[in-house]
Amino acid sequence: MIRITTPCRLHLTLIDMNAEIGRVDGGAGLTLSSPNIRIKAEKAEKVQIVGLQGFADRMKKAAEALLPEGEGVRIDVEELIPAHVGFGSGTQSSLAAAAAVNELYGLGKSVRELAFAVKRGGTSGIGVTAFEKGGFVVDGGHRFKDKGAFMPSAASKVPPGPVLFREDFPEWDIVVAIPDEKGVHDQEEINLFKEFCPLPIEEVREVAHVVLMQMMPAVIEQDIESFGAAVNHLQKVGFNKRESLIWPDFAKNIASFMRSRSYGAGVSSFGPVVYSFVDNKAEGKQLQIEVQKILDESVGGTAMMTRAKNDGAEISRV
């Protein structure tokens, strides 16, 4: 039997949604130690997904994409990441099922090969690298001639882009708000990519400047002030700026409040998950309590405090 525990990820920004110089996408993101997807898997005569059913169809398709002909797998889902909130649950659930088959049947495939087989990472490679290695990640996107259009990962068939930068993230506490609402997904997400892109090249350059010369050095130098400033800046430019047009008011209000009480705050992907960075556990705990109160008095949900995860999914035989 195989046991797998995945991390989740925050998507901090897409970089180039203009494609003028021949590449598109690229992004920066961060692996979180929780929440998680947790599964057990064993060989079986057919494909069975038991336990929690939130990603049953996705996991079944992912397993079938890897299984040798005539073989099966039983996957017992014990814990799930909330879907369509900005944690990259689609990639983690698909890779968990694919990795289970890979281990049980000794296929010897890399995480990137698994991602291509289950059609994940076609816009952002952050979730794939989070599963493989964890940490803070910047990826280089795709050649536009290969991808052919502006579209989200769920609609793209190209493999994950190259990892340009991967670094252990400092041990800062991260306060996360998980509202009881769903973000944009599926066809609506595809339509928004078509509506928003291409973005002005000046904004692409601004995002790239902030990521390269502020965010990445701040991770290496463990400079939470500069990192937080970069996060705040990136909410107001590029694709995040367009995403903010459709963020619900409660997400904007929570982000604004968290920003006033931390070094930096943002919304992950299309949201509605909001994250912020603090360097004092007591202050972080107080912020968590206050954000929970805001959620309780509005849409409901959970406020939590977590940290980055600097390694990938945990895979073991039991």
Side-chain angles (χ1 to χ4, degrees), residues 185-200:
H185 57 281
D186 297 339
Q187 189 60 47
E188 190 177 1
E189 187 179 18
I190 294 170
N191 293 344
L192 287 169
F193 270 78
K194 291 179 180 178
E195 178 184 343
F196 292 155
C197 302
L199 300 184

Side-chain angles (χ1 to χ4, degrees), residues 259-309:
R259 191 170 297 119
S260 72
R261 304 289 297 276
S262 68
Y263 286 97
V267 178
S268 180
S269 190
F270 278 106
V273 157
V274 186
Y275 59 88
S276 61
F277 300 91
V278 297
D279 64 354
N280 180 300
K281 187 173 286 290
E283 291 179 5
K285 193 67 180 174
Q286 184 59 38
L287 178 58
Q288 178 189 352
I289 291 169
E290 293 176 10
V291 171
Q292 184 65 61
K293 187 170 184 290
I294 294 172
L295 288 169
D296 291 344
E297 293 174 352
S298 56
V299 294
T302 303
M304 62 182 292
M305 191 160 66
T306 186
R307 285 190 172 181
K309 181 173 171 59

